Amino acid sequence: MSWFKKDPLQIIAFQGYGTDSHFYARGRALEDESIDLESQNIWHLIINTWKRFETDEIKNVGINIKLPNNKILKGVTDNNGYYKVEGNLKNLEALTNEEGWLSFELSYNDVNIKRTIQNENRFPGEILIPSTNAQFGVASDIDDTILHTGVVSTLKWKVIYNSIFKHAKNRSPLEGAAEFYHMLHRGKSGKNANPIFYVSHSPWNLYRYLELFLKQNKFPKGPILLRSMSNFLKKKSQNDKPQKQKEILNLLKTYPDLHFILIGDSGEHDPDIYMEIAEEFPDRILAIYLRSVKHKKKMLRVRGLIENYKTTEVLMVESSSQAIDHAREHGFIQ
């Protein structure tokens, strides 16, 4: 056995989104360090966390994206192994399934790579092209909105503990959240296929962890939009908007005819971000749902923010059932 044997290469495709005329895919090229997504052994969980953040990215290498109609799009990874591939095409919606997902195949296109490549150099990817039947879109936070995280805990120790010592399968979703999101996805008609976008301040390193959590707890499938570790660690300027806010603004600009419901929690910056977005797009934001957190000082601050806010209805909820009642009353769900 050689301690210096190099790990094989892989490509991780992040579930993204596009339109009928614009293809946009993101992902990352990495060495496959064999993260065991199934193991619940404490030591393996610690090792897996280390592997998620101590990544060996494949820099400045060419990749191909092959669409179902055999159209090939080309891209190049950056210094952190990330790729962004865009293309202005026609009739992409014709390539999607009934839920609006367009599947494609990724591969390394550099013939000079002298490394083992997993899966015979064929990796699956998907982007969502929302159906024309969509009534609205949903942009939802993850931490303490649908997943017990502890983001308001002292020094965020619960976030650290949960991320390292808890398997994604053992993380607890907030009660009733998955059911509520499926109702929003189905919409008023029951067949709207409203797109659900999961937006978080977490780094892309946690993508597969969060993807597994959502799948395990039967949340509707949707793009997961995170941020790079360089942005995660970079000191923000006073005028720089949070990445979560940038992602939601991009959704609004990508789908100019689609209204949105914003869902978050009252623990961190969601109220400020969402209300600022609503001010910029007052006719596009149908409602803002904020899940209450157990932090008296933060709750008082948020109540003060929304007390006289009139642009969009902001509802603080203790449970999913309260949000369901409101959504049904306003014709968002059956």
Side-chain angles (χ1 to χ4, degrees):
M1 174 180 176
S2 171
W3 291 101
F4 301 102
K5 183 179 179 181
K6 292 185 177 181
D7 293 319
L9 307 187
Q10 64 177 336
I11 302 175
I12 298 175
F14 305 144
Q15 286 174 347
Y17 59 91
T19 69
D20 185 49
S21 59
H22 187 72
F23 181 91
Y24 178 56
R26 288 189 284 190
R28 201 175 190 191
L30 298 167
E31 290 187 5
D32 185 355
E33 298 189 19
S34 302
I35 293 178
D36 187 350
L37 293 173
E38 298 299 322
S39 176
Q40 301 186 40
N41 177 278
I42 290 294
W43 177 245
H44 287 167
L45 292 175
I46 295 172
I47 295 297
N48 286 346
T49 299
W50 167 256
K51 287 181 177 180
R52 285 189 182 100
F53 289 93
E54 197 286 310
T55 54
D56 293 310
E57 56 273 1
I58 312 304
K59 306 175 183 179
N60 308 313
V61 67
I63 62 167
N64 284 347
I65 288 181
K66 183 179 180 181
L67 302 182
N69 60 1
N70 293 320
K71 170 76 174 177
I72 302 292
L73 300 175
K74 296 182 179 295
V76 179
T77 63
D78 64 17
N79 286 332
N80 294 307
Y82 292 102
Y83 66 81
K84 293 180 181 179
V85 177
E86 295 187 73
N88 292 318
L89 306 171
K90 293 181 179 179
N91 301 320
L92 288 173
E93 192 173 348
L95 304 177
T96 66
N97 65 16
E98 61 182 13
E99 286 285 312
W101 288 96
L102 189 161
S103 298
F104 54 87
E105 184 178 280
L106 288 142
S107 61
Y108 289 98
N109 66 15
D110 188 344
V111 295
N112 296 314
I113 293 177
K114 305 300 183 184
R115 300 279 297 277
T116 301
I117 302 176
Q118 295 285 52
N119 298 340
E120 299 180 342
N121 195 23
R122 299 171 66 183
F123 301 91
E126 291 179 303
I127 66 166
L128 176 66
I129 298 177
S131 167
T132 53
N133 294 324
Q135 178 186 0
F136 53 78
V138 176
S140 171
D141 180 39
I142 296 176
D143 301 332
D144 280 338
T145 300
I146 60 176
L147 168 64
H148 284 290
T149 304
V151 76
V152 297
S153 61
T154 305
L155 301 178
K156 294 184 171 49
W157 69 267
K158 285 186 179 178
V159 177
I160 298 169
Y161 174 84
N162 287 331
S163 298
I164 296 176
F165 297 106
K166 281 195 173 184
H167 190 280
K169 290 184 176 181
N170 293 332
R171 298 294 296 275
S172 301
L174 290 160
E175 186 177 355
E179 177 190 3
F180 178 43
Y181 282 48
H182 276 289
M183 295 173 82
L184 289 171
H185 176 61
R186 293 191 297 268
K188 178 66 175 176
S189 73
K191 298 179 180 179
N192 287 110
N194 297 319
I196 311 290
F197 302 91
Y198 301 97
V199 187
S200 172
H201 282 312
S202 295
W204 285 110
N205 305 64
L206 292 176
Y207 175 82
R208 288 198 293 178
Y209 182 91
L210 294 173
E211 182 184 40
L212 179 60
F213 166 81
L214 293 170
K215 184 176 182 180
Q216 183 71 20
N217 290 287
K218 297 180 172 55
F219 279 87
K221 185 177 175 181
I224 303 171
L225 310 174
L226 309 177
R227 58 176 171 167
S228 69
M229 278 297 292
S230 58
N231 290 334
F232 189 78
L233 299 172
K234 184 173 67 177
K235 186 176 181 180
K236 300 290 187 297
S237 67
Q238 190 172 2
N239 297 321
D240 195 22
K241 294 184 185 298
Q243 184 64 26
K244 181 190 296 186
Q245 187 167 352
K246 292 178 182 177
E247 292 285 2
I248 297 174
L249 289 172
N250 193 56
L251 289 171
L252 285 156
K253 291 170 184 175
T254 301
Y255 306 113
D257 298 325
L258 200 61
H259 291 79
F260 273 81
I261 292 172
L262 307 181
I263 308 177
D265 66 83
S266 54
E268 289 289 298
H269 305 295
D270 288 350
D272 307 83
I273 290 172
Y274 291 178
M275 289 164 70
E276 187 174 327
I277 290 171
E279 288 298 318
E280 187 172 347
F281 295 90
D283 299 325
R284 302 273 309 279
I285 307 303
L286 298 175
I288 297 172
Y289 295 120
L290 297 173
R291 190 177 287 273
S292 301
V293 297
K294 295 179 181 178
H295 193 292
K296 187 176 180 180
K297 188 175 180 180
K298 291 181 183 294
M299 291 292 288
L300 286 172
R301 186 188 81 86
V302 175
R303 286 196 180 97
L305 278 176
I306 68 175
E307 187 174 7
N308 297 309
Y309 188 73
K310 303 298 182 185
T311 303
T312 298
E313 187 167 6
V314 182
L315 186 69
M316 290 182 65
V317 298
E318 299 285 344
S319 66
S320 297
S321 60
Q322 288 178 284
I324 289 171
D325 290 343
H326 179 275
R328 184 172 286 128
E329 180 184 340
H330 286 75
F332 305 149
I333 61 175
Q334 284 184 328

